[in-house]
Amino acid sequence: MPRPQDAKTIPSYRILPKLLRDPLEAIEEIGRLSAGEIVRLGIGTFRPYLVTRPEHVQHVLNNAENYRREGLLWKPLSRLIGEPSGADPAWPLKKGTYKALFSGPNIASFTDDVARAIVEAVDDLGRRAVGRPVDAADEMTRLVYRAITQLLVGDKITLDEADDLGRVMATATTSSFRSRMLLPFTPFWLPLPGDRAFHRAVQAVDDLIFPIVRESRRGGADGGDIVSRLIRARDENGRGLDEQTIRDGAVALFVAATETSVTILTFLWMVLDARPDIAARLYEEIDQVVGTDHPARSHLSELRYAKMVTQEVLRLFSPGWMLPRTVVADDVIDGVRIRKGSIIVVSPYLTNRLPDVWPDPEVFDPERFAPGQSRDRFAFLTFGGGPHQCIGSFFFTIETQLIMAAMLSRYQPVIHGSPSIKPQLWLTLKPRERIQFLLRPRHAASNV
Ligand code: HEM
């Protein structure tokens, strides 16, 4: 057997200037230079490995004991959501609870409630946005919060509080992460730009969530929402979770479910604005399937093109553009030596654009997801893979089909100005500029 080789290093002078100027350009350049090989990146002393080929990614993500979801790069998040799953002793209990909440039958039982909440939120949006540009991130945050609040905290929160929660959570997830991600070795006692806004937002999140946890406890926690379920969860020794862990578990789900969904929905409206051919096919499908009804669970299986469009947006604008792991023990992947203690990065952004797997990768083409198409499971990485794979992907797809149907059966979203559709890399991938859109009623009666 040939001896394992060390990975080639892409030197810092090829990456760093671009990384500081525009991280997206840097990652694209890294993709070209690595050409699917396992490489190390000459960034700082920790020189992370990068893997992009589906079979290499599969090795890393499936082998979660050796490639742990923990370490320095997760630190900025811990004050908001607790420890990352790979380092959290309470994780098995939390994960079991999440899985029960997101199981197919449970989702089916609340889909019509989610659909109703979405229709009401779109009514509200119509009152603000017909003929008048509104901020896409704010509006999509409000919409997504309305869709998931019922499921996460039941009726323990008013609509106004749900809107507040959406706002403070958005501040918490955007304020200081960029500087903390770019300067991961800066100690937490040293203030960086955005830190104060972050701490204020986390305090506001605590002020909203802790009372819900305490109130649910007092009331017997018999609901189907995540807070009640976390309160009732017991390990094999009959031990439950403490208040902080329950709070972290609920907040982690809010964060996982919203940032990502808001980004995808914003890019969705941008794509439809830029591609009238795709929008026209979508309107046709929605008019045929939903017509003037309110969208409901019964429509989902027929909203096929809506699902294909969603998947193609997910491919090109994967909100998680990198998934870092810490290497526990030395390993060899495809003849390349991987050293313990180092960081290894899987990049959905690059894997979802590998030209030999996705021909013309930059072209937006929903037909890639037409029934009958097949490819390596680890070639589409937007929801990750292996034991830490996203548990919300099914819910997200349903939620997006319902949002599309509720919006597009009545309105045509029109992007204000001509913002670039090229994303930028933040903690997650995001639009480059502030995106605004307005709604144009498609039928006279929609002009609320
Ligand atoms: C566009 C929507 C979404 C995207 C792109 C997305 C993406 C991801 C990715 C890439 C991972 C794996 C992270 C890693 O391996 O390091 C993940 C994990 C996770 N996602 Fe999602 N997600 C989305 C929506 C949701 C929703 C709606 C929920 C739940 C309400 C959710 C809950 C979770 C949880 C709990 C995990 C952690 C799983 C673990 O560590 O075992 N996500 N998500």
Side-chain angles (χ1 to χ4, degrees), residues 242-268:
D242 62 31
E243 208 164 75
Q244 180 70 40
T245 311
I246 294 167
R247 171 261 179 233
D248 290 349
V251 172
L253 263 202
F254 269 108
V255 171
T258 41
E259 265 286 283
T260 45
S261 311
V262 166
T263 300
I264 290 296
L265 289 168
T266 305
F267 278 111
L268 170 67

Side-chain angles (χ1 to χ4, degrees), residues 111-112 115 119 285-307 398 401-402 405-406 409:
T111 301
D112 282 334
V119 169
E285 178 179 89
I286 290 171
D287 288 348
Q288 258 172 28
V289 175
V290 181
T292 53
D293 288 351
H294 281 166
R297 179 154 80 99
S298 54
H299 297 124
L300 290 173
S301 61
E302 286 176 79
L303 291 170
R304 287 188 202 96
Y305 194 62
K307 187 169 170 190
I398 288 177
Q401 282 174 295
L402 292 170
S409 57

Side-chain angles (χ1 to χ4, degrees), residues 61 69 74 84-86 91 95 98 101-102 148 151-152 252-262 264 314 317-320 322-325 348 381-393 395-396 399-400:
L61 294 185
R69 197 169 182 259
W74 293 98
S85 50
W91 184 251
K95 175 99 179 225
Y98 295 164
L101 184 69
F102 285 95
I148 62 168
L151 136 85
L152 293 189
L253 263 202
F254 269 108
V255 171
T258 41
E259 265 286 283
T260 45
S261 311
V262 166
I264 290 296
L314 284 162
F317 302 100
S318 174
M322 66 153 183
L323 310 175
R325 297 292 194 259
L381 274 191
T382 303
F383 291 113
H388 291 300
Q389 176 176 334
C390 182
I391 51 149
S393 55
F395 173 73
F396 172 78
E399 179 197 21
T400 307

Side-chain angles (χ1 to χ4, degrees), residues 345-357:
V345 173
V346 169
S347 171
Y349 186 89
L350 292 176
T351 302
N352 287 357
R353 284 173 161 76
L354 283 175
D356 56 332
V357 182

Side-chain angles (χ1 to χ4, degrees), residues 331-379:
D331 193 12
V332 175
I333 306 178
D334 203 4
V336 175
R337 192 180 291 118
I338 307 291
R339 307 220 178 242
K340 73 172 176 193
S342 47
I343 286 179
I344 192 162
V345 173
V346 169
S347 171
Y349 186 89
L350 292 176
T351 302
N352 287 357
R353 284 173 161 76
L354 283 175
D356 56 332
V357 182
W358 304 97
D360 296 323
E362 295 299 329
V363 174
F364 188 91
D365 180 9
E367 294 306 322
R368 299 180 201 272
F369 293 95
Q373 299 284 349
S374 72
R375 65 186 66 83
D376 192 310
R377 153 70 192 87
F378 286 82

Side-chain angles (χ1 to χ4, degrees), residues 96-153:
T97 314
Y98 295 164
K99 275 196 163 156
L101 184 69
F102 285 95
S103 69
N106 199 43
I107 290 189
S109 71
F110 59 66
T111 301
D112 282 334
D113 291 337
V114 171
R116 258 190 302 279
I118 288 173
V119 169
E120 281 170 25
V122 169
D123 282 348
D124 262 12
L125 176 61
R127 281 189 277 276
R128 281 189 300 278
V130 168
R132 227 180 355 215
V134 290
D135 184 90
D138 288 353
E139 294 299 338
M140 289 306 110
T141 304
R142 190 177 281 127
L143 195 58
V144 168
Y145 264 74
R146 295 283 181 90
I148 62 168
T149 302
Q150 182 68 27
L151 136 85
L152 293 189
V153 287

